[in-house]
Amino acid sequence: MPTFLHIFDLYDQNLPWQRLESILSAYIDMIEAGKAVALHESIGREPRLGPVQGADGQTSWQEIAPSGPKVDPYTGARRSRYDTHPWSLVSYTHGDLTSCLKLWEELFTVIEIKSGLRDEEEDPNTTPLCSRSGLSAAGVPRGFAYDLLSHARQPRIWYVAPGIRLPQASEFVNQPFKHVAAKYPKETEGIKMPFLFFRAEGTVTSKQANFRWPFSTVQEVPCGLYLDSYPNKENPFEDACRLVLPFPVGGNKKAKTSDGRLMQKSHTEVYAHGINPFTLRHGPKLTAILENWLMNVKSGHWTVDEQGVSGGVETWKQADTEEHWDKYVSAHLAL
């Protein structure tokens, strides 16, 4: 199993050590939420060498295909490449999807009403955000992003947060990492590409955006909110996000990650968890970010005009101020 040894100094007194009771409670919560499931021994097994008797009565060693399916038909879970039998982590649950869709509807309803584009009693537009043909053209595989985009409704506004907007059709199709899997098929096996969900002005290098190899081979990427769902095969959660801003935040030493630590100066640390003591490299959930955006719109901290949330991308510099840093922190370690 992967460990924290190559990432953290385990003698650091500031690490967020947890009581064993807290760790076990967290895993119980994951089981109850359907995020961790026990798989039948026949599911997801690799081919193995075994004795096979031929028609001539001779026995030879051949590769024997497993009898069970690759994916659990009930949960969609795949077996980890590490021997954690019978447990495996589910990339996303029905509850994850419905919670996100509910927040999506609430957020855009509030923005549309505040912008004057819709009355409170008026029924919302039911056109889906993206057609299945559009998803196919953008190279979006079946999974959380696919299900979300094909079920979420098309809003009447463009800007969902300051300087962050829905993409135009041509932008949506031209995903920045669309061709990486074809160039690196072995390295990206079992990994889904980072998906650019919402756009912001400007571009940064892949290094500044902290995308891991081989996605870091793309020299320049657009700014915006990415579904960075599969940072590695051991952490399969598909609803994790990465906000990439056109400027670094954290230089004023006021911005904080959601674990309460001072943020390192970075283009991608706004909404970051900081140190997650329960699992490696899990970005903030999309629901946590949508909740934060909804809070900022409802409270009036973010203003709204006919195009949606106003203020421009420079508004995000408030995350590094004494007065407003707490308005740019996501919920910490939500299931």
Side-chain angles (χ1 to χ4, degrees):
M1 287 292 290
T3 71
F4 292 100
L5 291 174
H6 63 296
I7 299 177
F8 302 118
D9 175 8
L10 297 186
Y11 294 99
D12 183 355
Q13 296 298 314
N14 293 319
L15 287 180
W17 293 98
Q18 304 293 307
R19 295 168 59 90
L20 178 59
E21 177 185 3
S22 299
I23 294 173
L24 295 177
S25 295
Y27 286 124
I28 290 172
D29 289 343
M30 291 180 69
I31 293 169
E32 291 179 342
K35 300 290 286 187
V37 297
L39 298 179
H40 189 271
E41 61 181 12
S42 66
I43 294 173
R45 291 301 186 186
E46 296 293 328
R48 61 181 178 83
L49 288 177
V52 177
Q53 189 173 29
D56 58 358
Q58 298 295 316
T59 299
S60 62
W61 286 84
Q62 299 179 19
E63 191 174 78
I64 301 174
S67 58
K70 292 184 178 181
V71 178
D72 180 21
Y74 298 103
T75 64
R78 297 177 180 270
R79 190 174 298 280
S80 169
R81 66 172 176 162
Y82 294 96
D83 188 11
T84 58
H85 178 73
W87 295 101
S88 188
L89 299 176
V90 179
S91 57
Y92 70 102
T93 67
H94 178 71
D96 292 330
L97 181 62
T98 54
S99 296
C100 199
L101 288 170
K102 182 179 178 181
L103 275 167
W104 178 279
E105 179 59 36
E106 187 175 359
L107 173 61
F108 282 107
T109 295
V110 170
I111 296 174
E112 288 168 351
I113 291 173
K114 280 179 171 283
S115 68
L117 297 176
R118 173 183 162 192
D119 296 329
E120 290 191 33
E121 295 78 15
E122 186 179 351
D123 291 332
N125 173 30
T126 57
T127 304
L129 185 63
C130 190
S131 66
R132 297 184 187 276
S133 59
L135 291 167
S136 177
V140 181
R142 294 303 294 258
F144 179 77
Y146 188 101
D147 286 345
L148 176 63
L149 293 167
S150 59
H151 288 86
R153 72 170 175 90
Q154 177 73 49
R156 303 180 186 184
I157 52 91
W158 279 102
Y159 285 89
V160 63
I164 297 177
R165 59 173 174 81
L166 293 165
Q168 298 177 0
S170 59
E171 294 173 327
F172 178 80
V173 171
N174 293 316
Q175 288 290 318
F177 301 105
K178 184 177 179 180
H179 304 294
V180 172
K183 291 182 179 179
Y184 301 93
K186 184 177 181 181
E187 293 83 353
T188 57
E189 182 182 0
I191 300 176
K192 291 185 177 176
M193 70 174 183
F195 172 74
L196 181 53
F197 194 12
F198 296 119
R199 287 255 177 172
E201 66 179 43
T203 59
V204 296
T205 66
S206 290
K207 182 177 180 180
Q208 289 173 321
N210 286 326
F211 287 113
R212 300 181 68 201
W213 195 87
F215 301 109
S216 59
T217 59
V218 178
Q219 290 188 348
E220 196 173 68
V221 297
C223 296
L225 183 71
Y226 287 80
L227 280 173
D228 190 16
S229 55
Y230 263 64
N232 54 50
K233 296 179 183 179
E234 297 75 51
N235 179 0
F237 304 120
E238 293 190 33
D239 57 350
C241 294
R242 180 191 304 264
L243 179 62
V244 180
L245 294 171
F247 43 77
V249 172
N252 294 335
K253 303 299 182 184
K254 303 298 181 183
K256 293 184 179 180
T257 51
S258 58
D259 62 350
R261 294 168 177 267
L262 284 177
M263 186 185 299
Q264 298 294 319
K265 187 177 180 180
S266 169
H267 289 260
T268 62
E269 287 292 293
V270 174
Y271 295 126
H273 284 323
I275 296 178
N276 184 335
F278 299 103
T279 187
L280 288 170
R281 300 187 181 97
H282 191 331
K285 289 169 66 72
L286 178 58
T287 51
I289 291 178
L290 293 180
E291 283 175 348
N292 177 267
W293 292 359
L294 178 62
M295 177 195 71
N296 280 320
V297 172
K298 275 186 168 182
S299 68
H301 178 65
W302 289 349
T303 56
V304 173
D305 59 24
E306 66 279 1
Q307 288 192 309
V309 179
S310 58
V313 74
E314 294 290 316
T315 301
W316 293 94
K317 292 181 178 179
Q318 292 181 350
D320 201 16
T321 64
E322 183 71 36
E323 184 180 5
H324 296 300
W325 70 266
D326 58 330
K327 299 179 180 69
Y328 298 87
V329 178
S330 70
H332 188 46
L333 306 183
L335 283 177

